[in-house]
Amino acid sequence: MVEDVVRTLGFLCMGSRLRRIGERLQSDTQQVIDEAGLGIQAGQYPFLAAIDRSGPLTIGELAQAVGITQPGATRTIGQLLELGFVDMQPAPDDQRRRLVSLTGKGQDLVDHSKMVIWPRIAAAVADLCGDLDGPILQQLAAIEDGLAAVPLARRHAAKEEEA
Amino acid sequence: MVEDVVRTLGFLCMGSRLRRIGERLQSDTQQVIDEAGLGIQAGQYPFLAAIDRSGPLTIGELAQAVGITQPGATRTIGQLLELGFVDMQPAPDDQRRRLVSLTGKGQDLVDHSKMVIWPRIAAAVADLCGDLDGPILQQLAAIEDGLAAVPLARRHAAKEEEA
DNA sequence: GAATGTTATATAACGCGTTATGCATTCGTG
DNA sequence: CACGAATGCATAACGCGTTATATAACATTC
């Protein structure tokens, strides 16, 4: 077995480390979504959630809301349009701005997700790291170990620790 | 100003959140590297560090060491070969395995980085989050706020907190 | 009110991760 | 020792982020 340099180097490789943990978490999340039979990508959810919370938003506002750049938002919204979850129309007062809103299908998905899937994911992540405390490097190590031991899809509610 | 849904949703969007913080951190790190005039990508460093620490490694071992998949390692090593920082040759006992080692130029870069650049980066990241404690979501919020307030490249050693 | 600048979105090209797959080499077994 | 399985790496195609740039609509200014 080879040493994990990213972990060993600590603060020096924190960017790489956060990224790779995020990727792992997100792909585990995707698995939960797929098991529930929803035809959506994990990364698309924040866009739907943002519109659900704040009402119709423009591309630029969505980019801000999910914390990515505008071209990324344009692309994801394009996918959600294809999927029929959102609708887009020029703002009445400013033809440059495009207001993105949920379709009936999109709202149904959000409503269903809010009841069934989001609590499930949040609970699994909370089970993974909700009780952690202390320096961040330690917590990251615990999260990586935890994911390796029990993937997100097999986690449900907070249970008594076994290790 | 639009609400940051990823932050608001907490555990539900933890994957996206870790990824975006990691990306931000890594691009800030890149800026430090560029300011030092080194012609290398932040993401390539862990590979050099791994070889420096463990001696020549195969592609597969490197992938393990930096925690990515084998095709990713193949690609990055290809770049480091182009740049002349590493060298690759078939293992004597097994023609399938390719042993990757540092060239003189690569070793020079690592030696210089160990003295000058890595401590600088580690100190900046430590300044950003070394003193944090508590639940991970809180720490992540502090890191995001901290990066927004003072980018990594402007951070040096641990100083007394100002907020 | 025409010229000029600014803003909102779209598009293109790229970085760096992934999965899927092909090919060469080695291993295991009849 | 030959043949099928396993292993190690390369390649292709894709996901999703980025930066840079084009275009259309609005704002400003003379």
Side-chain angles (χ1 to χ4, degrees):
Chain A
M1 186 57 68
V2 186
E3 140 186 275
D4 179 340
V5 273
V6 171
R7 184 186 287 215
T8 301
L9 294 179
F11 284 140
L12 183 54
C13 290
M14 183 117 136
S16 297
R17 186 128 177 238
L18 289 173
R19 268 190 23 181
R20 88 179 183 194
I21 298 174
E23 270 153 19
R24 174 76 200 273
L25 245 183
Q26 198 161 347
S27 88
D28 276 34
T29 300
Q30 186 65 54
Q31 197 184 333
V32 175
I33 294 169
D34 291 344
E35 282 174 7
L38 307 189
I40 189 169
Q41 299 298 114
Q44 299 170 339
Y45 259 138
F47 289 83
L48 300 181
I51 302 172
D52 178 56
R53 294 178 62 86
S54 309
L57 294 172
T58 67
I59 295 281
E61 289 166 339
L62 281 166
Q64 264 194 273
V66 309
I68 64 171
T69 56
Q70 169 262 311
T74 295
R75 185 189 302 174
T76 299
I77 291 303
Q79 297 165 351
L80 291 172
L81 272 169
E82 294 271 330
L83 293 169
F85 292 128
V86 303
D87 194 35
M88 191 162 73
Q89 49 185 349
D93 56 322
D94 185 341
Q95 299 289 107
R96 291 171 305 180
R97 311 171 70 218
R98 307 296 178 84
L99 281 172
V100 182
S101 48
L102 293 175
T103 59
K105 183 179 170 191
Q107 188 66 57
D108 287 349
L109 174 63
V110 169
D111 291 341
H112 179 254
S113 300
K114 276 202 282 199
M115 285 196 307
V116 175
I117 246 316
W118 292 352
R120 168 100 194 275
I121 294 169
V125 177
D127 178 53
L128 174 66
C129 60
D131 293 331
L132 296 180
D133 203 309
I136 188 138
L137 289 177
Q138 252 174 249
Q139 294 198 39
L140 294 179
I143 290 171
E144 289 183 304
D145 292 342
L147 276 178
V150 183
L152 212 62
R154 305 276 161 274
R155 290 171 180 270
H156 300 293
K159 52 177 182 242
E160 301 319 299
E161 49 276 353
E162 59 267 323
Chain B
M1 188 56 69
V2 186
E3 139 185 277
D4 180 342
V5 272
V6 172
R7 184 186 288 215
T8 301
L9 294 180
F11 284 140
L12 183 54
C13 290
M14 193 119 126
S16 297
R17 186 127 178 238
L18 289 174
R19 268 190 24 182
R20 88 179 183 194
I21 298 175
E23 270 153 19
R24 174 76 198 275
L25 246 184
Q26 198 161 347
S27 88
D28 276 33
T29 300
Q30 186 64 54
Q31 197 184 333
V32 175
I33 294 169
D34 291 344
E35 282 175 7
L38 307 189
I40 189 169
Q41 299 298 115
Q44 298 170 340
Y45 259 139
F47 290 84
L48 300 181
I51 302 172
D52 178 56
R53 295 178 61 88
S54 309
L57 294 172
T58 67
I59 295 281
E61 289 166 338
L62 281 165
Q64 265 193 272
V66 309
I68 64 172
T69 55
Q70 169 263 310
T74 296
R75 185 189 302 174
T76 299
I77 291 302
Q79 297 165 352
L80 291 173
L81 272 170
E82 295 270 332
L83 292 169
F85 292 128
V86 303
D87 194 35
M88 191 161 72
Q89 51 184 347
D93 56 321
D94 185 342
Q95 300 288 108
R96 292 170 306 179
R97 311 170 71 219
R98 307 295 177 84
L99 280 173
V100 181
S101 47
L102 292 175
T103 59
K105 184 179 169 189
Q107 188 66 57
D108 287 349
L109 175 63
V110 168
D111 291 340
H112 179 254
S113 300
K114 276 201 280 199
M115 285 195 307
V116 175
I117 248 310
W118 292 351
R120 167 100 195 277
I121 294 168
V125 177
D127 178 53
L128 173 67
C129 59
D131 292 331
L132 295 178
D133 203 310
I136 189 140
L137 289 177
Q138 253 174 248
Q139 295 198 39
L140 293 179
I143 290 171
E144 289 183 304
D145 293 341
L147 276 179
V150 183
L152 211 64
R154 307 276 162 274
R155 290 171 179 271
H156 300 293
K159 53 177 181 242
E160 302 319 299
E161 50 277 353
E162 58 269 324

